[in-house]
Amino acid sequence: MIIELDCGNSFIKWRIIGAASQVLLSGVAESAEELFSALEDARAHHELRHCRMVSVRSDEETACLEMRLIQRLGLHVQTARSAPCTAGVRNGYVDHGSLGLDRWMAVVAARHLSSKACLVLDLGTAVTADFVAADGEHKGGFICPGLSLLRSQLRSHTRRIRYDTAAASDFMMEQLTPGCSTADAVERGCVLMLKGFVRSQVELAMAYWGSDYDVFLTGGDAPAVIDVLPQVRVVPDLIFIGLAIACPIPS
C-alpha cells in the first residue's frame, strides 16, 4: 500500500492507494498529529510500506515530517522536488526551485492528461494559474489570494466588517445579486473577484492558443468558478496524479 500526502498551507490531504491506484482511504488533517493518528489507525487494516509526498511548507517542516514518517511508521518516503524538466514538462521559472511544488505537480499531471496546451487552475488557500504549451513548455503563471484569504483580510483590516462565518456558509448557493447584509456583500464580492480572475486567465489562454487548449480545475473552491469556464476538466486529485508521475514507487 502507498500513502500519498499533499501538504498544503492550511491542511494535509492524504490517501492510501492499493493495486491499480485504487483509493482505499482518504482524509484531510489539520495538523501532523492528526495525520499520524489517522495513519496509525489505517495501519491496523492495511500494510503500509511506501509514502510519497509533495509539500509547500518550509524545508524544515517538510524534513521533520519526512523523518517522523520514517521513524514512527517505518515507511520508505519519496518527496517531490523541483526540477528543470519532469515527464516532458519544462519548468518555466528562471529559478526552477522557487516554483511551488503543488503547482509543479499539477502542471505535470495536466501535461500527462492532455496533448494540448493547458491552463491549470488550483483554487485553494491561494489561487494559482499556470500555462503549459502543447510542447511541454511551462510559460509561468499567476498567484492571488483565495476566498478564505480575501475574506479574512477584509475582516482583519476593516473595523466595521464583522460577521459570523457560519452565517455565510451557503453563499455559493445564492445568486450573486448585490448583498443586503455585510456577510452577503463580502462573500459575494469575493466570489465575483475570483470569477473575474479566472475569466482573465481564460482570455490570456485564448490569446496564446485560440480555442486549442484544455482547462484543468482543482482545489476546494473550484465550484465557485466552474460556471465561467468553457469545457473545463475538474480533477480533484490533479496534484496526486502529478505526484505519482514525479515519484514512482518501484514494484
Side-chain angles (χ1 to χ4, degrees):
M1 306 297 176
I2 300 172
I3 300 169
E4 296 184 325
L5 303 177
D6 174 9
C7 305
N9 293 296
S10 303
F11 304 102
I12 301 175
K13 299 175 186 175
W14 62 271
R15 68 183 193 177
I16 296 173
I17 61 173
S21 298
Q22 178 187 7
V23 179
L24 304 176
L25 286 173
S26 64
V28 178
E30 294 186 2
S31 66
E33 284 308 318
E34 186 177 328
L35 170 68
F36 279 100
S37 177
L39 294 181
E40 285 170 348
D41 288 345
R43 190 164 57 170
H45 306 283
H46 301 282
E47 184 178 8
L48 306 178
R49 293 185 178 180
H50 299 278
C51 175
R52 54 188 171 216
M53 71 174 180
V54 55
S55 174
V56 298
R57 302 186 175 194
S58 69
D59 291 343
E60 293 77 11
E61 287 180 285
T62 302
C64 180
L65 180 57
E66 184 175 347
M67 185 59 63
R68 291 178 69 186
L69 289 164
I70 294 169
Q71 294 178 344
R72 190 161 164 178
L73 297 178
L75 299 172
H76 300 282
V77 181
Q78 285 185 280
T79 303
R81 309 290 183 193
S82 292
C85 183
T86 297
V89 184
R90 299 187 300 281
N91 194 315
Y93 265 30
V94 175
D95 173 11
H96 71 263
S98 65
L99 176 63
L101 282 166
D102 52 347
R103 293 171 61 194
W104 185 229
M105 294 301 96
V107 163
V108 168
R111 174 63 179 165
H112 173 73
L113 295 172
S114 174
S115 60
K116 295 183 178 181
C118 299
L119 167 60
V120 185
L121 297 163
D122 187 348
L123 276 64
T125 303
V127 171
T128 62
D130 284 280
F131 297 79
V132 190
D135 65 357
E137 178 190 2
H138 173 231
K139 301 180 74 67
F142 299 93
I143 304 172
C144 74
L147 286 177
S148 62
L149 285 178
L150 286 172
R151 69 166 67 95
S152 66
Q153 288 299 300
L154 269 176
R155 292 165 67 183
S156 297
H157 297 285
T158 309
R159 293 185 180 183
R160 296 185 65 86
I161 293 183
R162 298 287 186 273
Y163 62 91
D164 183 358
T165 302
S169 60
D170 295 327
F171 73 94
M172 279 193 288
M173 302 301 291
E174 302 289 338
Q175 291 184 350
L176 292 177
T177 53
C180 293
S181 70
T182 298
D184 284 347
V186 170
E187 296 295 330
R188 296 178 189 186
C190 289
V191 172
L192 286 173
M193 288 190 70
L194 192 58
K195 288 177 181 286
F197 174 81
V198 168
R199 287 191 184 97
S200 72
Q201 305 311 293
V202 171
E203 291 171 0
L204 185 53
M206 291 178 66
Y208 276 137
W209 305 306
S211 60
D212 192 23
Y213 69 95
D214 284 329
V215 180
F216 289 89
L217 179 63
T218 193
D221 287 329
V225 302
I226 194 168
D227 61 311
V228 300
L229 288 168
Q231 300 179 343
V232 63
R233 297 174 65 175
V234 181
V235 187
D237 59 351
L238 191 65
I239 290 174
F240 282 134
I241 292 172
L243 178 60
I245 296 168
C247 297
I249 304 295
S251 55

